[in-house]
Amino acid sequence: MKSKFLALATVLLLAGGQCMADDLKVLSAGAMQRGLVTIAAKFKERSGTQVQIRYATAPELKKILTESSAAADAILAPNPTLADLAGAGKVNADTQKEIGGVGSAVLIRPDAPVPDVSTLAAFKRSLTEADALVYNRASSGIYIESLLKKIGVFDQVRSKIVRVDDGEAVAARIKQGHGKEFGFGGYTDVLHNQDMGEVKLVGPIPEEVQNYTMYSSALITAAASPAPARAFLAFLETPEAQAIFAASGVVSRHK
């Protein structure tokens, strides 16, 4: 363990020396934002390297690197996205390290009645009693729709479903709603919007029907600043960074 931290310190020093004038560019899925902002600031304190982060959905991340292989130096994305990018030679598969998973959560307006999602039975009852159910058209929303069918309530709630484009649109729709409406989003996204005062986190969906999207980091093959990028990726593996991710709602597979 001691040798690992000495190696990390050496890399940070080298990165700072090589990249004092150059910013490190990172592409990231939005689900990582809440923890990554703090981690980037901590990394700058130690290395002197400013981290520029561009957030995008998984399909947009693939599009960005397809159009410009050198668009950034490092990436944080869902595992299937990184697998596709590695297959296309856009990221270095040997550098991929798992960060953790993000589950689905329920959100409401800050002044809305709080639905009971503490058990699967209570969750099903809250679904049927809701005035509206809001989720996105992306992969997480597709999972929620399949879940409604799996637990046998889809036909009962079909007329209440509101589908929007993405997580931000879910939060916006919930904020402007009324009555007993609630939405679904990634746990970290909901916490982020709660931090902004937009919505209120009710809690994760019941564990027996929970679905975790796993995220990892990797070096972009055509990185313009590979040394500081590797230092940043090494920093993501430290207990300090892992604790920040955990506090932001990211769940370790090894928990």
Side-chain angles (χ1 to χ4, degrees), residues 86-157:
K90 301 297 183 180
V91 303
N92 185 334
D94 293 337
T95 65
Q96 183 172 332
K97 298 291 183 181
E98 190 170 275
I99 296 169
V102 176
S104 296
V106 173
L107 61 144
I108 58 173
R109 299 186 321 280
D111 63 343
V114 180
D116 186 354
V117 299
S118 58
T119 66
L120 183 56
F123 179 54
K124 291 172 66 174
R125 185 169 57 251
S126 294
L127 289 167
T128 59
E129 293 175 352
D131 294 324
L133 303 172
V134 186
Y135 52 83
N136 65 44
R137 296 187 181 93
S139 58
S140 60
I142 292 171
Y143 174 75
I144 293 299
E145 188 154 306
S146 69
L147 166 62
L148 297 177
K149 295 175 180 176
K150 179 180 179 180
I151 62 177
V153 300
F154 182 76
D155 290 337
Q156 294 171 261
V157 303

Side-chain angles (χ1 to χ4, degrees), residues 10 12 33 39 44 49 68 78 86 95 107 120 141 155-156 172 176 184 191 218 221-222 225 241 244:
T10 301
L12 287 171
Q33 181 174 357
I39 290 171
K44 183 182 178 182
T49 301
S68 176
T95 65
L107 61 144
L120 183 56
D155 290 337
Q156 294 171 261
Q176 296 166 5
F184 297 91
L191 282 175
T221 305
S225 302
I244 293 170

Side-chain angles (χ1 to χ4, degrees), residues 173-253:
R173 172 62 178 77
I174 289 298
K175 181 183 177 183
Q176 296 166 5
H178 54 82
K180 295 195 296 183
E181 300 181 348
F182 63 88
F184 297 91
Y187 194 87
T188 55
D189 290 331
V190 178
L191 282 175
H192 174 70
N193 283 307
Q194 180 174 258
D195 292 343
M196 303 293 287
E198 301 288 320
V199 299
K200 179 180 179 179
L201 169 69
V202 176
I205 65 175
E207 189 63 30
E208 56 261 54
V209 292
Q210 182 60 273
N211 178 63
Y212 291 96
T213 299
M214 302 306 297
Y215 291 83
S216 294
S217 60
L219 178 72
I220 292 174
T221 305
S225 302
R230 287 181 182 276
F232 181 70
L233 294 174
F235 186 65
L236 295 182
E237 294 185 72
T238 63
E240 180 180 14
Q242 291 172 3
I244 293 170
F245 273 130
S248 76
V250 177
V251 178
S252 170
R253 190 192 295 271

Side-chain angles (χ1 to χ4, degrees), residues 57 135-138 164-171:
T57 63
Y135 52 83
N136 65 44
R137 296 187 181 93
V164 295
D165 288 337
D166 54 29
E168 291 302 315
V170 172

